Amino acid sequence: MRYYLKSSSLVIRGSFRALSSGHDGGIRNCTTLLNHQVKPGFSESPNFLIENLVMSLGLLKKDSVCLLTAVSMSNLCILSIDPVTVFITAGITHPDQVSSLSDNKNPEPGTINIIVVTRDFSDQGLVDAVITATEAKVLGLRESGHSFAGTLTDAVIVASEDPGSVRYAGSATDVGKKIHEAVFFGVQEALKKPTTSDGHTK
């Protein structure tokens, strides 16, 4: 696996079996994981945007899995506890504020995107890891003083290099503990960072 930032995108390259809750998600083989920053209030077709994005990066859409966020990539937190690496961007919009946000011409970025990369996971293991990552995100939010479990647009990718036989990733397992720890601390650190490129923090 290798990863880099290009303009407003995090690009993670490798050979993966990935589960995604993002646009055009599901479980499939892919070579690229993306977390891409869009403008606040984005209302275009995600499919059209992603097609143009992967083309501009010299990639193929069928080989890519993409998450979208209004949060700046300068907010990105990366934590690695072998064999787990997590990539997190985080902004906060309280779920109960939807009606008030519709009247705000400049809404704050409000998405928590989590990408977990590990090794040797089966499809069942990928699903189990989503549960563990979500539990850790909720605890990270609570530790940061928030009473809600997430925003309205949170998304996750769990990807395995060298798909294999790991079926369980609950926090009682060794790899699950590492996923939990990395996401728990990563969410808290990302919430401390600016969410926009001009340095504005929620």
Side-chain angles (χ1 to χ4, degrees), residues 47-200:
N47 195 56
F48 181 73
L49 181 145
I50 293 170
E51 285 181 353
N52 286 334
L53 170 64
V54 296
M55 186 181 301
S56 71
L57 294 170
L59 305 170
L60 296 175
K61 185 174 182 293
K62 68 180 182 67
D63 294 329
S64 304
V65 176
C66 185
L67 302 183
L68 302 176
T69 180
V71 175
S72 169
M73 287 303 113
S74 62
N75 173 268
L76 178 67
C77 283
I78 304 171
L79 292 89
S80 185
I81 311 173
D82 190 59
V84 174
T85 302
V86 301
F87 305 81
I88 299 172
T89 53
I92 290 297
T93 300
H94 194 295
D96 294 338
Q97 293 178 340
V98 180
S99 57
S100 62
L101 284 175
S102 63
D103 299 324
N104 188 347
K105 294 181 180 179
N106 297 295
E108 299 293 348
T111 296
I112 300 174
N113 280 352
I114 299 170
I115 300 176
V116 177
V117 180
T118 186
R119 295 192 299 269
D120 303 322
F121 269 46
S122 67
D123 287 356
Q124 178 182 337
L126 295 177
V127 175
D128 215 26
V130 169
I131 296 172
T132 299
T134 302
E135 290 172 346
K137 178 193 72 174
V138 174
L139 290 177
L141 283 166
R142 290 182 178 174
E143 189 70 17
S144 298
H146 300 288
S147 61
F148 46 89
T151 79
L152 298 173
T153 51
D154 291 354
V156 62
I157 296 172
V158 178
S160 177
E161 298 184 282
D162 304 317
S165 60
V166 176
R167 298 173 57 196
Y168 302 108
S171 55
T173 66
D174 182 61
V175 69
K177 288 178 183 177
K178 293 175 180 179
I179 292 171
H180 193 282
E181 182 177 354
V183 172
F184 175 69
F185 286 107
V187 165
Q188 293 177 73
E189 289 304 308
L191 289 173
K192 296 175 185 177
K193 290 190 172 188
T195 58
T196 57
S197 56
D198 62 3
H200 185 70

